């Protein structure tokens, strides 16, 4: 993008004042290099979001922002129901509650290194991954509704994990306000065999090493030390979430027209929060959040089973679990007033600052762990929510490296085998059912995650705590 | 005769002009179909969608599945058609390689043919989550060929 079209708000913030039909300004957090490489469509899409009814503050874009559909990826937008605010299925996306969960192992690199290859094979065998994979359980109609209502809490009741796992998740593992009856039969059908599956595309299960600490005090509070081995899961609500997205994008086309809302882009389909369709979507979307939480809980159980077999001394407790495609009702302070707002985060992570009452006691002093997934060849990061993020971005930060190249371009530039061999030479074992899938997800197809994290820090969204480098990657 | 450009991935043009191609989108993938009729362009777009998942030539068209959709305009009909296909792939765990499509008065009736996913033989790459309204366009070009396209989320 041409940065001259923006108002320079700070070294790491670029603004577009409200103009034409925009109700609020756009603020993009990034450095100059990231801005330069961002697609022009990011600004266009953010300006369209800024024109939606009831939006408050600004439409924010995180440093890993890129061209999405409707909302930009990395977009954050908050709406006030009392001001005619809307909820948008496009503002959450198809992969509802896609997120990242990191587990400790209690092991050091040298303990895992000798069995790394067997570990990769066993994880690849036990954790269903890729197109056509089926999960370890089948859900009948009753169990489906219980899962959609209960989330990870339901999964724990079924024997997948322990109650203390729930303390280390957003919403304590169960999203309130889920309405399983608002989820279509098609969405439920797509999910019957998919509980406990990773999926494909950019989803993965990685064994990682804590390679460096940026903030030793926060790292200590988060239970991380250099050389520790952790396991990280990146996936979402699978077919159920995809179908809910599809169903409501369609219903909201009509709902927007009926409410007299002009859509600059059909993908921005939305409905007033205080409308039948709006409430129906919120109920279904919350059920999908529970599905994602349950899904990551079952995958956690499968991962623990594998470690039990190979490294019985391991203890896979949760560090934390975050979702980065959601719309949540939250309290935020604006101009010294507290307001209840529906915050859409599409490829953005909630990043609550120190002292926030929703945080587990153990994180209260340092802020929320913000889990950032990188590409399979570079690094992932654990950040901590900052006290400034509340007023800068409705307490949000980036979610990953963000793509810099299309899948098509990547598959032309690399061959899967070549990527696997290059990573193996660096000690990173990759297991995947698809060679082309690996090429499409090649590390070079992503932005520099270090630069994204640095920009998030400098912009005051979150501060880096630990850098995680991959040892094993199970890729969909 | 326009060949797929370096920006796109597609297949050779048939005598009637029917063909499909992919066009780039940074995070996802664009699917585009051309045909002498609207129905043919829709069938080609479905082919393009399947080609994101695996090589369509690897799929035996043995089992028929019926699809019906209805929409107020042809662009919404394209999204409905592709989403119906995505649903059948996901819910039945099948892949398809033959699309017999008929469209009249905003109604689409199709029989699609395929088989159960065989991970070793089909070597599927990626799931398609849903068809979007981004870059959505259905039109008749100056050369009389129909073109149908949109971005799908993968």
């Amino acid at each position: 993008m041409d940065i001259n079209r923006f108002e320079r708000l700070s070294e790491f913030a670029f603004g577009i004042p409200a103009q034409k039909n925009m109700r609020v300004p756009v603020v993009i957090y990034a450095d100059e290099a990231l801005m330069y490489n961002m697609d022009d469509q990011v600004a266009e899409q953010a300006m369209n979001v800024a024109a939606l009814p009831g939006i408050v503050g600004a439409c924010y874009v995180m440093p890993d922002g890129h061209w999405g559909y409707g909302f930009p990826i990395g977009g954050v937008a908050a709406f006030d129901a009392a001001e005619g605010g809307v909820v948008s299925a496009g503002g959450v996306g198809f992969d509802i509650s896609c997120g990242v969960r990191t587990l400790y192992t209690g092991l050091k690199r040298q303990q895992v290194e000798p069995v790394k290859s067997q570990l990769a094979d066993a994880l690849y065998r036990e954790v269903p991954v890729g197109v056509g994979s089926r999960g370890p359980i089948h859900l009948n109609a009753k169990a489906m509704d219980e899962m959609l209502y209960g989330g990870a809490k339901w999964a724990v009741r079924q024997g997948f994990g322990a109650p203390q796992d729930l303390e280390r998740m957003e919403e304590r593992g169960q999203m309130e306000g889920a309405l399983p009856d608002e989820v279509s039969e098609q969405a439920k059908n797509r999910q019957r065999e998919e509980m406990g599956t990773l999926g494909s595309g950019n989803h993965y299960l990685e064994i990682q090493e804590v390679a460096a600490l940026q903030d030793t005090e926060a790292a200590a509070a988060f239970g991380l030390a250099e050389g520790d081995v952790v396991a990280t899961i990146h996936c979402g609500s699978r077919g159920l979430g995809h179908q809910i997205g599809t169903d409501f994008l369609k219903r909201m086309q009509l709902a927007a027209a009926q409410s007299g809302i002009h859509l600059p882009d059909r993908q921005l389909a939305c409905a007033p929060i205080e409308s039948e369709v709006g409430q129906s979507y919120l109920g279904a979307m919350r059920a999908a959040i529970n599905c994602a939480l349950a899904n990551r809980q079952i995958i956690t159980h499968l991962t623990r089973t594998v470690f039990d077999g190979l490294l019985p001394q391991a203890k896979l407790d949760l560090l934390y679990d975050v979702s980065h495609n959601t719309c949540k009702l939250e309290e935020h302070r604006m101009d010294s007033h507290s307001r209840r707002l529906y915050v859409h985060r599409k490829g953005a992570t909630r990043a609550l600052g120190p002292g926030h009452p929703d945080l587990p006691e153990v994180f209260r002093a340092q802020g929320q762990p913000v889990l950032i997934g990188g590409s399979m060849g570079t690094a992932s990061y654990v950040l901590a929510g900052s006290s400034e993020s509340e007023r800068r971005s409705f307490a949000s930060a980036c979610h990953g490296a963000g793509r810099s190249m299309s899948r098509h371009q990547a598959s032309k530039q690399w061959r899967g085998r070549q990527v696997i061999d290059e990573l193996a030479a660096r000690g990173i074992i990759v297991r995947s059912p698809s060679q082309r899938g690996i090429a499409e997800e090649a590390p070079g197809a992503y932005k520099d995650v270090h630069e994204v994290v640095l920009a998030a820090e400098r912009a005051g969204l979150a501060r880096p705590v630990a850098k995680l480098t991959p040892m094993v990657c199970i890729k969909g | 005769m326009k060949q797929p450009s370096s920006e796109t991935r597609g297949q050779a043009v048939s005598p009637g002009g029917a063909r499909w191609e992919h066009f780039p989108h940074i995070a996802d993938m664009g699917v585009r179909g051309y045909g002498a009729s609207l129905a043919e362009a829709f069938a080609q777009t479905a082919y393009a969608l399947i080609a994101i998942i695996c090589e369509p030539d690897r799929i035996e068209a043995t089992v028929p599945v019926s699809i019906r959709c209805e929409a107020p305009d042809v662009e919404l009909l394209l999204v409905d058609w592709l989403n119906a296909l995505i649903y059948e792939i996901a819910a039945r765990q099948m892949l398809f390689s033959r699309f017999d499509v008929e469209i009249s008065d905003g109604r689409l009736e199709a029989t699609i043919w395929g088989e159960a996913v065989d991970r070793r033989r089909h070597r599927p790459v990626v799931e398609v989550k849903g068809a979007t309204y981004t870059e959505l366009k259905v039109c008749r070009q100056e050369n009389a060929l129909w073109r149908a396209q949109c971005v799908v989320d993968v």
Side-chain angles (χ1 to χ4, degrees):
Chain A
M1 286 196 294
D2 176 10
I3 62 170
N4 293 318
R5 67 185 282 204
F6 295 90
E7 197 178 300
R8 193 72 181 248
L9 306 174
S10 77
E11 199 187 341
F12 293 91
F14 298 79
I16 301 171
Q19 53 197 272
K20 294 184 190 156
N21 56 351
M22 289 166 67
R23 295 165 201 260
V24 294
V26 164
V27 177
I28 303 180
Y29 293 109
D31 63 17
E32 279 189 17
L34 287 167
M35 285 296 286
Y36 179 77
N37 288 318
M38 233 177 243
D39 324 88
D40 286 322
Q41 288 94 337
V42 173
E44 244 170 73
Q45 292 188 324
M47 287 165 78
N48 285 340
V49 174
L52 291 176
I55 186 168
V56 299
C59 173
Y60 298 103
V61 180
M62 302 295 106
D64 50 341
H66 59 84
W67 180 27
Y69 29 89
F71 274 56
I73 309 295
V76 176
F79 297 82
D80 189 337
E83 292 182 9
V86 294
V87 58
S88 168
V92 173
F94 287 99
D95 203 356
I96 299 169
S97 199
C98 181
V100 182
R101 169 180 294 201
T102 296
L103 310 164
Y104 307 109
T105 65
L107 303 173
K108 292 287 184 187
R109 182 181 185 115
Q110 58 270 27
Q111 293 171 280
V112 176
E113 197 66 43
V115 294
K116 198 166 69 173
S117 185
Q118 291 103 296
L119 186 61
D121 291 338
L123 287 169
Y124 184 55
R125 199 172 52 237
E126 297 301 324
V127 180
V129 61
V131 184
S133 61
R134 284 166 190 259
I137 50 170
H138 168 88
L139 295 186
N140 61 26
K142 184 166 170 280
M144 176 69 70
D145 285 357
E146 287 169 358
M147 180 277 288
L148 293 174
Y149 185 74
K153 208 179 262 183
W154 169 85
V156 168
R157 278 201 305 271
Q158 304 304 306
F160 300 106
Q164 62 266 30
D165 292 342
L166 304 170
E167 296 302 312
R168 297 289 190 107
M169 297 176 201
E170 288 179 325
E171 324 305 334
R172 304 286 196 274
Q174 182 186 23
M175 186 73 214
E176 279 182 27
L179 301 172
D181 287 349
E182 301 299 333
V183 177
S184 69
E185 277 311 304
Q186 277 123 317
K188 291 174 181 175
N189 277 341
R190 278 177 79 166
Q191 196 58 29
R192 295 208 191 282
E193 311 290 341
E194 293 209 335
M195 291 310 296
T197 61
L198 266 181
S200 63
N202 62 359
H203 296 152
Y204 61 77
L205 164 60
E206 275 190 359
I207 306 303
Q208 303 158 325
E209 178 191 14
V210 179
L213 301 179
Q214 288 81 35
D215 181 332
T216 47
E217 204 179 322
F222 289 0
L224 296 171
E226 242 178 276
D228 282 359
V229 172
V230 297
T232 296
I233 297 160
H234 175 218
C235 64
S237 52
R238 310 290 299 112
L240 180 121
H242 308 166
Q243 189 66 37
I244 290 172
T246 298
D247 293 342
F248 280 92
L249 271 169
K250 190 176 175 184
R251 283 178 69 183
M252 285 181 175
Q253 298 287 330
L254 200 63
Q258 283 170 348
S259 304
I261 300 169
H262 167 71
L263 296 177
D265 174 348
R266 292 219 250 205
Q267 192 67 26
L268 283 178
C270 58
I273 293 160
E274 301 293 355
S275 70
E276 195 191 325
V277 176
Q279 290 299 310
S280 170
Y281 176 69
L282 285 167
M285 189 259 315
R286 288 164 178 160
I289 291 177
N290 283 331
C291 178
L293 289 167
N295 195 40
R296 290 196 286 272
Q297 187 64 25
I298 296 172
I299 294 172
T300 297
H301 172 79
L302 299 175
T303 307
R304 284 170 172 161
T305 310
V306 168
F307 270 83
D308 278 348
L310 277 169
L311 294 156
Q313 71 274 41
K315 197 163 183 309
L316 276 72
D317 289 335
L318 265 80
L319 166 56
Y320 207 52
D321 177 298
V322 298
S323 295
H324 46 232
N325 288 347
T326 57
C327 175
K328 288 184 176 175
L329 177 58
E330 299 171 356
E331 285 219 19
H332 289 280
R333 285 196 82 75
M334 290 182 74
D335 306 325
S336 73
H337 297 292
S338 184
R339 295 175 74 172
R340 281 167 72 74
L341 302 171
Y342 289 81
V343 184
H344 293 67
R345 294 187 182 87
K346 168 97 168 273
T349 314
R350 185 154 78 177
L352 302 176
H356 197 285
D358 286 352
L359 283 175
E361 186 61 42
V362 62
F363 302 134
R364 217 44 82 73
Q366 297 294 335
Q368 179 208 307
V370 180
L371 309 173
I372 307 297
S375 74
M376 58 186 150
T378 52
S380 296
Y381 278 87
V382 180
L383 315 182
S386 79
S387 38
E388 295 161 75
S389 70
E390 166 73 28
R391 78 184 157 83
R392 290 195 195 281
S393 58
F394 295 114
S396 311
C398 49
H399 83 305
R403 287 192 82 91
S404 63
M405 192 186 280
S406 71
R407 293 179 173 280
H408 176 56
Q409 221 179 333
S411 67
K412 283 202 328 191
Q413 193 147 338
W414 293 285
R415 289 273 161 266
R417 174 44 57 191
Q418 168 202 357
V419 174
I420 292 170
D421 290 347
E422 279 173 17
L423 291 173
R426 291 169 44 204
I428 303 166
I429 302 179
V430 179
R431 294 280 185 273
S432 171
S434 169
Q435 298 273 317
R436 197 178 100 202
I438 292 289
E440 291 182 1
E441 288 290 322
Y446 281 85
K447 289 179 195 178
D448 182 351
V449 68
H450 313 284
E451 202 182 347
V452 167
V453 164
L454 193 69
E457 179 189 19
R458 298 282 169 79
L461 307 179
R463 53 186 212 286
V465 174
K467 177 184 170 185
L468 314 174
T469 52
M471 296 171 68
V472 171
C473 178
I474 309 300
K475 194 83 179 165
Chain B
M1 230 172 4
K2 192 184 165 211
Q3 291 297 324
S5 73
S6 60
E7 282 293 290
T8 57
R9 172 164 57 200
Q11 36 90 253
V13 183
S14 77
R19 67 184 171 96
W20 59 265
E21 65 191 16
H22 295 148
F23 63 93
H25 178 277
I26 188 74
D28 299 303
M29 194 85 99
V31 292
R32 187 180 284 149
Y34 298 88
S37 65
L38 183 63
E40 194 174 47
F42 272 42
Q44 289 293 319
T45 314
Y47 223 80
L49 189 146
I50 294 292
I52 293 175
I53 306 169
C54 74
E55 298 293 337
D57 294 348
R58 296 202 184 114
I59 306 163
E60 298 282 341
T62 49
V63 181
V65 173
S66 296
I67 287 180
R68 277 161 202 245
C69 15
E70 208 172 330
D73 65 58
V74 286
E75 292 188 338
L76 296 177
L77 190 63
L78 176 69
V79 173
D80 276 7
W81 156 238
L82 295 178
N83 278 327
L85 172 61
I86 290 166
Y87 173 74
E88 297 300 342
I89 292 168
R92 295 176 191 268
Q93 300 242 343
M94 284 178 71
L95 289 166
F96 301 91
S97 59
R98 183 178 146 196
F99 308 95
D100 300 338
V101 183
E102 284 179 26
I103 300 173
S104 64
D105 300 331
R107 291 160 70 126
L108 178 150
E109 290 194 15
T111 305
I112 61 175
W113 302 74
E115 61 173 331
V117 177
D118 178 335
R119 305 220 303 167
R120 292 179 71 142
R121 190 156 46 83
H122 296 133
R123 285 185 264 157
V125 176
V126 74
E127 291 168 320
V128 177
K129 296 171 188 165
T132 78
Y133 299 84
T134 299
E135 302 281 305
L136 171 61
K137 198 161 177 60
V138 176
C139 64
R140 195 160 194 183
Q141 303 182 134
E142 280 179 10
N143 64 0
L145 274 188
W146 282 90
R147 173 161 64 98
Q149 66 171 58
C150 73
V151 168
V152 297
D153 189 8
V154 294

